[in-house]
Amino acid sequence: MSHSITTLKSQPMFRNGPQIYINRAIEDFNLPLHDHEFIEFAYVAEGGGFHHINNEVYRVHKGDLCYIPIGVPHVFRPATTNISKHPLIVYNCVLSLDLLFKLASACSNNSTRSFIESLSSSGTLPFSISDQNEAIEKIFFALHREYSIQQEDSDDFLQALVLQLLLVIKRIKEKKNYRPPSDKLTLFDQLLSYVDQHFHEDLKLSELAKISMWSERHLQRLFQRHTEQNFSRYLQSLRIQKSQELLRSTQLKVSAIAEMVGYKDFGYFLTVFKRIVGTTPSQYRQSLD
């Protein structure tokens, strides 16, 4: 299976008016690596996981804010396939360039105006910062609430909140003793990322042991400690999640989907799917209608 980059377009994201889109997402393994035609601020509100961005992978925690410029490929992944028990919840604030310029022009402070305008520059790199005293969290909660209820004056209210968010980000970045988070993956985290990219192949624990130079026994302990599943169950859960996405988004035959996610034995795929999901693949697809 290819790992091509999907581009998210501006048009479906913005309603008529403020050129702002706010959502709250429980991250999974289904959203593909993607870039977009707009600016995005992503705030980790709960849990932890991984942020794949610009060919790098970073661990993210509650309180991390990530800035993703236009055209930069990225995707969030939870730390385990057991999403119901260990969710990664991210708030997204998506802005158009027009709105960014509008907010910049409304600022009387030259430094603030320059900072906001710099976010639209093609040369601006992604960055991440840690929330200070829950200031960013409070703004995101207010943004999501206001965006959800849409009152008569919500457009102005949302723009005021976005400007407040930009000011808080600027102040945090300007602190002399501030160091941005740079929590690159441990070797085991990198192995999880490798599994996510190669789940459809004939992956074996012995292969991961060669890559990591750990024993298979030690790797099993690490999988149990970090994912609460052994390697086999983790891989099965990941493959079934991918198959559910294909069942939702395509009309491919179930047998073809089984092969695409790594199962050569169709009967075994049906057994594993029913054990994890509780229904057969066909019943699952029918339940979506």
Side-chain angles (χ1 to χ4, degrees):
M1 297 175 66
S2 63
H3 296 279
S4 59
I5 299 171
T6 301
T7 297
L8 303 183
K9 303 295 185 179
S10 298
Q11 188 63 32
M13 307 295 287
F14 300 128
R15 301 172 178 172
N16 293 330
Q19 300 293 286
I20 300 172
Y21 174 78
I22 311 292
N23 80 331
R24 176 183 183 273
I26 301 176
E27 302 294 346
D28 55 27
F29 293 89
N30 297 325
L31 182 67
L33 185 70
H34 61 277
D35 59 16
H36 30 65
E37 299 179 335
F38 42 77
I39 286 166
E40 178 180 350
F41 289 98
Y43 179 76
V44 181
E46 184 177 334
F50 310 117
H51 190 198
H52 300 244
I53 182 167
N54 255 353
N55 298 316
E56 299 281 357
V57 187
Y58 296 87
R59 182 176 284 276
V60 291
H61 313 271
K62 174 179 168 57
D64 287 346
L65 175 81
C66 305
Y67 164 69
I68 304 98
I70 293 172
V72 173
H74 82 114
V75 71
F76 286 94
R77 293 289 189 236
T80 171
T81 55
N82 191 350
I83 297 172
S84 60
K85 189 173 182 180
H86 301 286
L88 170 61
I89 299 177
V90 176
Y91 282 88
N92 298 291
C93 175
V94 167
L95 309 174
S96 71
L97 287 181
D98 289 343
L99 176 62
L100 208 63
F101 290 134
K102 179 180 178 180
L103 294 176
S105 65
C107 296
S108 58
N109 182 274
N110 290 334
S111 174
T112 301
R113 185 164 56 250
S114 296
F115 169 72
I116 296 175
E117 289 175 346
S118 72
L119 296 175
S120 65
S121 171
S122 59
T124 301
L125 298 176
F127 63 78
S128 61
I129 62 175
S130 297
D131 197 1
Q132 306 288 308
N133 302 317
E134 300 181 348
I136 295 176
E137 181 179 55
K138 292 174 182 176
I139 296 173
F140 266 88
F141 286 176
L143 279 167
H144 186 255
R145 181 175 60 250
E146 190 66 30
Y147 188 84
S148 300
I149 59 176
Q150 285 294 308
Q151 300 185 70
E152 183 180 355
D153 56 356
S154 284
D155 289 2
D156 292 335
F157 200 92
L158 286 167
Q159 291 182 40
L161 286 171
V162 170
L163 181 56
Q164 184 182 358
L165 173 66
L166 296 172
L167 288 167
V168 169
I169 292 170
K170 175 178 177 288
R171 289 181 176 182
I172 292 175
K173 284 177 65 66
E174 287 177 345
K175 286 187 176 180
K176 292 182 179 180
N177 61 351
Y178 174 74
R179 294 292 183 274
S182 57
D183 195 1
K184 284 194 177 182
L185 295 189
T186 64
L187 179 54
F188 181 73
D189 294 332
Q190 292 178 41
L191 287 176
L192 289 183
S193 178
Y194 180 86
V195 173
D196 182 43
Q197 295 172 25
H198 299 272
F199 69 92
H200 54 287
E201 300 173 6
D202 187 21
L203 277 183
K204 298 184 183 303
L205 192 65
S206 57
E207 177 185 348
L208 299 185
K210 289 179 181 178
I211 293 172
S212 65
M213 293 185 292
W214 285 324
S215 69
E216 293 183 34
R217 183 178 179 182
H218 183 60
L219 268 179
Q220 285 287 27
R221 286 198 294 265
L222 291 174
F223 268 96
Q224 196 66 45
R225 182 190 310 163
H226 292 281
T227 74
E228 299 184 351
Q229 301 171 90
N230 63 30
F231 168 69
S232 177
R233 286 299 177 97
Y234 179 86
L235 182 58
Q236 287 175 357
S237 297
L238 182 58
R239 285 173 168 171
I240 296 305
Q241 285 193 20
K242 299 289 188 180
S243 72
Q244 287 178 279
E245 168 62 17
L246 289 170
L247 286 166
R248 290 194 299 267
S249 61
T250 74
Q251 294 301 315
L252 292 169
K253 291 183 178 180
V254 175
S255 57
I257 290 176
E259 187 173 351
M260 289 177 70
V261 300
Y263 287 98
K264 296 179 180 178
D265 185 334
F266 182 57
Y268 185 58
F269 167 72
L270 294 178
T271 299
V272 175
F273 190 99
K274 189 167 185 178
R275 174 176 60 80
I276 293 177
V277 181
T279 66
T280 67
S282 297
Q283 290 170 336
Y284 175 79
R285 177 176 268 170
Q286 290 170 4
S287 71
L288 303 174
D289 296 335

